[in-house]
């Protein structure tokens, strides 16, 4: 079946879905980096998740008619838009696709639980270490890591908004991690120099990502 897919290149820091929208299509990230967030009072922002190539960050819009958060671009990103009608036909006609999307939804819930545990119980050092481990493993799983190096163009402000930390706190913690020999991170280029030490610092166990080797 030919899919009526429209792919677009979207500039950095642009919303592709907004709180209270009523979308008629799902978006699939082909290239780039997206994030899911909500704006609170006084302009404060809470980031709930980051999405990499292959992710469908608004799959819930198939069943929940109104968006309750925003989805924006971190960097220039290529996004494909698939009408809900097409997605529903695929799900009805292809049980394996339906099962894959259901599995993806369950894994996303597992990631949210892990983030909640981190925000509630980990100190800043462990929180950031765990966050870096997670993103690295996800990039590695889709072949976008070169050894222990990966392109990760996140600002310290966005990291702070995701992890419940101030930008100053994020900066100081990253400096401490560099001093301890765990990472080097410069202009969006992340190099993990001590993977075992980073995993230990973040008490990272990738089981919750449910990766298939």
């Amino acid at each position: 079946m030919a899919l009526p897919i429209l792919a677009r290149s979207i500039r950095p820091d642009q919303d592709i879905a907004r709180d209270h929208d009523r979308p008629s299509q799902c978006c699939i990230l082909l290239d780039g980096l997206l994030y899911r967030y909500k704006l609170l009072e006084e302009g404060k922002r809470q980031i709930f998740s980051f999405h990499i190539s292959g992710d469908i960050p608004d799959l819930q819009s198939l069943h929940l008619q109104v968006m309750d958060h925003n989805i924006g671009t971190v960097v220039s990103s290529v996004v494909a838009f698939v009408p809900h009608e097409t997605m529903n036909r695929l799900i009805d006609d292809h049980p394996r696709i339906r099962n894959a999307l259901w599995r993806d939804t369950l894994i996303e819930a597992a990631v949210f639980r892990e983030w909640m545990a981190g925000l509630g119980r980990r100190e800043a050092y462990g929180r950031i270490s765990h966050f870096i481990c997670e993103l690295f493993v996800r990039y590695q799983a889709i072949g976008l890591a070169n050894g222990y190096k990966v392109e990760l163009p996140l600002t310290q402000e966005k990291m702070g908004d995701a992890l419940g930390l101030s930008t100053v706190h994020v900066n100081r913690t990253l400096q401490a991690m560099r001093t301890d020999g765990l990472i080097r991170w410069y202009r969006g280029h992340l190099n993990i120099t001590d993977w075992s030490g980073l995993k230990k610092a973040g008490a990272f166990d990738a089981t919750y990502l449910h990766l298939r080797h």
Side-chain angles (χ1 to χ4, degrees):
M1 178 177 62
L3 299 181
I5 294 175
L6 172 66
R8 289 198 292 131
S9 180
I10 303 175
R11 292 176 298 160
D13 294 314
Q14 301 294 309
D15 285 337
I16 61 175
R18 293 188 176 92
D19 203 351
H20 293 94
D21 277 355
R22 292 177 175 269
S24 60
Q25 54 195 4
C26 290
C27 66
I28 304 172
L29 179 60
L30 303 181
D31 184 52
L33 184 62
L34 304 179
Y35 69 112
R36 190 198 311 262
Y37 73 98
K38 195 172 185 72
L39 290 176
L40 307 176
E41 65 278 2
E42 300 177 0
K44 295 178 180 178
R45 178 179 62 185
Q46 179 62 50
I47 293 176
F48 303 117
S49 56
F50 290 96
H51 296 274
I52 64 177
S53 298
D55 285 354
I56 309 176
D58 62 349
L59 189 61
Q60 75 279 355
S61 67
L62 278 173
H63 301 289
L64 304 178
Q65 294 181 346
V66 182
M67 293 288 293
D68 55 22
H69 58 275
N70 307 284
I71 299 174
T73 57
V74 177
V75 296
S76 292
S77 302
V78 180
V79 181
F81 295 92
V82 185
H84 284 169
E85 180 183 351
T86 302
M87 290 291 291
N88 283 319
R89 282 207 308 272
L90 283 171
I91 290 169
D92 291 340
D93 296 343
H94 301 280
R96 292 180 66 181
I97 293 178
R98 180 183 62 235
N99 291 341
L101 294 178
W102 175 232
R103 183 175 187 275
D104 183 69
T105 301
L106 294 175
I107 293 173
E108 189 170 272
V111 173
F112 272 117
R113 289 192 291 273
E114 191 68 26
W115 275 45
M116 185 178 296
L119 286 171
R121 292 295 177 233
R122 292 189 182 100
E123 299 297 327
Y125 198 101
R127 213 178 293 181
I128 292 177
S129 298
H130 191 280
F131 172 76
I132 293 173
C133 286
E134 178 186 301
L135 281 180
F136 170 73
V137 167
R138 289 173 62 195
Y139 273 113
Q140 187 182 50
I142 60 172
L144 292 182
N146 179 17
Y148 288 102
K149 297 178 182 179
V150 68
E151 299 294 318
L152 195 57
L154 283 179
T155 63
Q156 294 179 8
E157 179 185 15
K158 283 189 173 70
M159 287 183 63
D161 287 350
L163 300 174
L165 302 168
S166 70
T167 303
V168 171
H169 204 165
V170 171
N171 181 269
R172 289 175 178 170
T173 305
L174 289 175
Q175 287 184 28
M177 293 170 68
R178 283 193 290 267
T179 300
D180 292 341
L182 299 183
I183 63 168
R184 290 198 298 268
W185 198 344
Y186 182 69
R187 292 187 176 180
H189 303 282
L190 172 66
N191 181 12
I192 298 174
T193 48
D194 183 356
W195 175 238
S196 295
L198 188 66
K199 287 197 300 181
K200 183 177 180 180
F204 180 74
D205 177 354
T207 302
Y208 71 99
L209 295 173
H210 299 281
L211 298 173
R212 289 174 171 170
H213 298 287

